[in-house]
């Protein structure tokens, strides 16, 4: 997870945002036409739900396991939440099966970009961290050595596994306070991190899928 400076990240977002603009616009247009329904909104590459190849419109619910292969990506809408699952990820969903609402997600491997309905408590679990959230956007990457968390906007409580005393509450407006969270035995359990591997264009698209907008001024060509 090589980092970049915030200035370099903003410049990269400009180039990446232009490239993504057309595809994201197609998803937002489909939403406006009523063509985007809960479940799988987009599939790229080898993405699976409970071991079965994901297809657009496939239902996703608590108890399901999402896996993605190399160069794959999956976009999912569940209730008023939306998720972008990166390549080579395994995401396990938990929650109320009767209401089909997800209360927690376990990022076993890989990376996940999420936007959540305001006011609803959710939790993301990784090997080294528990991330408690209430209506925010969060990007998470995890591997064997640490968890990367960017609270893109909103509030999150970051708690290292087995060390609640080291917990930190982060409040941000625009990718202000990314963090690395380390396993037990490291000198620091939480430390500052750069902004990596996710863009405003992706957040705009995900929020659009559930009828919301990002809480900051944004233009694909503003940077």
């Amino acid at each position: 997870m090589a980092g970049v400076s915030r200035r370099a990240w903003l410049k990269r977002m400009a180039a990446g945002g232009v490239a993504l603009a057309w595809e994201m616009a197609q998803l937002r247009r489909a939403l406006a036409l009523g063509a985007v329904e809960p479940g799988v909104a987009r599939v790229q590459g080898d993405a699976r739900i409970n071991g079965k190849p994901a297809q657009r419109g496939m239902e996703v619910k608590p108890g399901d396991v999402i896996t993605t292969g190399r160069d794959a990506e999956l976009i999912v809408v569940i209730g008023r939440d939306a998720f972008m699952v990166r390549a080579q990820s395994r995401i396990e969903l938990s929650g109320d099966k009767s209401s089909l609402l997800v209360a927690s997600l376990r990022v076993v491997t890989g990376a996940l970009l999420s936007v959540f309905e305001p006011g609803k408590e959710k939790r993301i679990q990784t090997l080294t961290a528990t991330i408690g959230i209430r209506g925010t956007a969060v990007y998470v990457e995890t591997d064997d050595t640490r968890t990367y968390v960017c609270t893109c906007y909103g509030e999150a409580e970051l708690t290292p596994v087995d060390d609640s005393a080291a917990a930190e509450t982060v409040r941000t407006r625009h990718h202000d306070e990314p963090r690395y969270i380390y396993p037990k035995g490291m000198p620091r359990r939480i430390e500052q991190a750069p902004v990596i591997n996710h863009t405003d264009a992706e957040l705009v698209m995900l929020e659009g899928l559930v009828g919301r907008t990002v809480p900051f001024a944004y233009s694909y060509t503003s940077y």
Side-chain angles (χ1 to χ4, degrees), residues 105-223:
L105 305 95
R106 183 174 182 83
V107 182
V108 180
T109 58
L112 177 71
L113 180 64
S114 310
V115 298
F116 294 100
E117 181 179 9
K120 302 294 184 180
E121 293 185 4
K122 301 292 174 72
R123 185 178 74 249
I124 298 176
Q125 185 75 46
T126 74
L127 182 65
T128 64
T130 299
I131 305 155
I133 54 184
R134 182 189 289 273
T136 188
V138 177
Y139 178 70
V140 175
E141 280 191 19
T142 187
D143 59 30
D144 293 338
T145 61
R146 64 187 180 185
T147 296
Y148 171 83
V149 183
C150 179
T151 307
C152 307
Y153 42 84
E155 179 178 324
E157 184 175 86
L158 314 179
T159 306
V161 170
D162 300 324
D163 192 357
S164 59
E168 179 182 359
T169 298
V170 173
R171 299 178 181 87
T172 77
R173 288 281 298 171
H174 193 195
H175 312 282
D176 305 308
E177 301 287 347
R179 295 288 188 267
Y180 287 126
I181 305 175
Y182 294 94
K184 191 174 182 179
M186 297 295 288
R188 291 186 180 181
R189 298 302 304 275
I190 301 180
E191 68 177 8
Q192 292 186 346
V195 182
I196 62 171
N197 300 339
H198 62 294
T199 70
D200 284 349
E202 292 166 335
L203 290 167
V204 169
M205 181 273 297
L206 289 177
E207 292 285 20
L209 289 176
V210 288
R212 297 190 299 263
T213 59
V214 294
F216 51 82
Y218 176 74
S219 168
Y220 285 110
T221 58
S222 63
Y223 297 113

Side-chain angles (χ1 to χ4, degrees), residues 59-64 78-79 93-103:
E59 183 182 52
V60 183
K61 60 188 183 302
D64 287 349
I78 307 175
L93 310 178
S94 301
D96 184 352
K97 292 185 178 181
S98 63
S99 66
L100 303 181
L101 296 179
V102 170

Side-chain angles (χ1 to χ4, degrees), residues 36-43 49 54 58-61 66 74-79 81-85 93 112-113 115 206 209-210:
V36 175
E37 299 177 354
V40 174
R42 189 186 74 181
V43 184
I49 311 294
M58 181 182 288
E59 183 182 52
V60 183
K61 60 188 183 302
I66 298 172
L74 187 69
I75 295 177
V76 176
V77 176
I78 307 175
D81 305 329
F83 310 95
M84 177 180 286
V85 183
L93 310 178
L112 177 71
L113 180 64
V115 298
L206 289 177
L209 289 176
V210 288

